[in-house]
Amino acid sequence: MDFFTPPPRLGRDLASEERDQPPWAGPPKDLLGGTVAVEQTLFQSDSITIVLASAVAFPENVKFHVRLAARRLLDEDEDSWWERRGLMFEGRRNRTRPSRLLEDEVLRFGVRLPDGSKATTVDGRTSSDEWPPPRPKGPVLRQGGGGGGGGGGRLATGHWNLWMWPLPPPEPFEFVVQWPAFDVPLTFTKIDGEALTTAAERARSYWS
């Protein structure tokens, strides 16, 4: 006789899985967005470079791809280098915790729009159990998947995906980064909003 038996298969609510999410809840899954090669350096020092590499624009929101390159300095001992890499790429260190203080190890991204409104990845907004999620009062910027670490040696690389709602207007806006633990000060970089809105016009459905 069989001792171990597989668990029963649970029915899947396909209607629930396929329900449309509002544009402030995430990028659309049924559209191929228009890609923009942004290639803007957000910050650079002797030991670290952070680059806004590209963006994928949709009619109502945009997804950003940020890359990081770090290198071991000539006068940096091996233990210090590996400790710095561990702090840099250990995911839990890059998440905010319920606290009045924002820890120096937390990597912060933000945007500031021409009308003065802003959104950051550490503004404390939480997801809602309501469906559809309630419409936010202002712009949204959220940090999604990412990772890195690289192999051995003197170089390490990483990446992060961020998405923003709404799609910024067709004029310059500011992309912001700060990472105190790695001597990245509050830094503002002008981004071409018109390139994003033009790319969004190229977004199309995967199926007609």
Side-chain angles (χ1 to χ4, degrees), residues 33-62:
T35 301
V36 179
V38 183
E39 300 173 1
Q40 284 272 15
T41 298
L42 304 177
F43 174 80
Q44 186 176 67
S45 68
D46 289 341
S47 62
I48 187 174
T49 297
I50 302 174
V51 177
L52 178 53
S54 60
V56 181
F58 302 94
E60 296 186 76
N61 51 25
V62 58

Side-chain angles (χ1 to χ4, degrees), residues 83-158:
E83 181 180 1
R84 181 159 66 96
R85 282 181 49 150
L87 286 174
M88 194 173 291
F89 296 111
E90 196 175 83
R92 62 185 178 85
R93 288 291 192 131
N94 290 335
R95 299 175 187 164
T96 54
R97 300 169 186 167
S99 171
R100 291 186 175 182
L101 300 177
L102 192 57
E103 298 175 349
D104 287 348
E105 291 86 1
V106 175
L107 172 62
R108 310 105 189 258
F109 292 110
V111 292
R112 185 162 63 183
L113 301 179
D115 64 1
S117 61
K118 69 173 185 176
T120 79
T121 54
V122 294
D123 62 9
R125 296 182 185 177
T126 57
S127 59
S128 172
D129 292 332
E130 299 180 47
W131 191 265
R135 183 185 182 93
K137 295 182 179 179
V140 171
L141 183 70
R142 291 183 179 167
Q143 184 172 331
R154 306 185 68 90
L155 293 174
T157 59

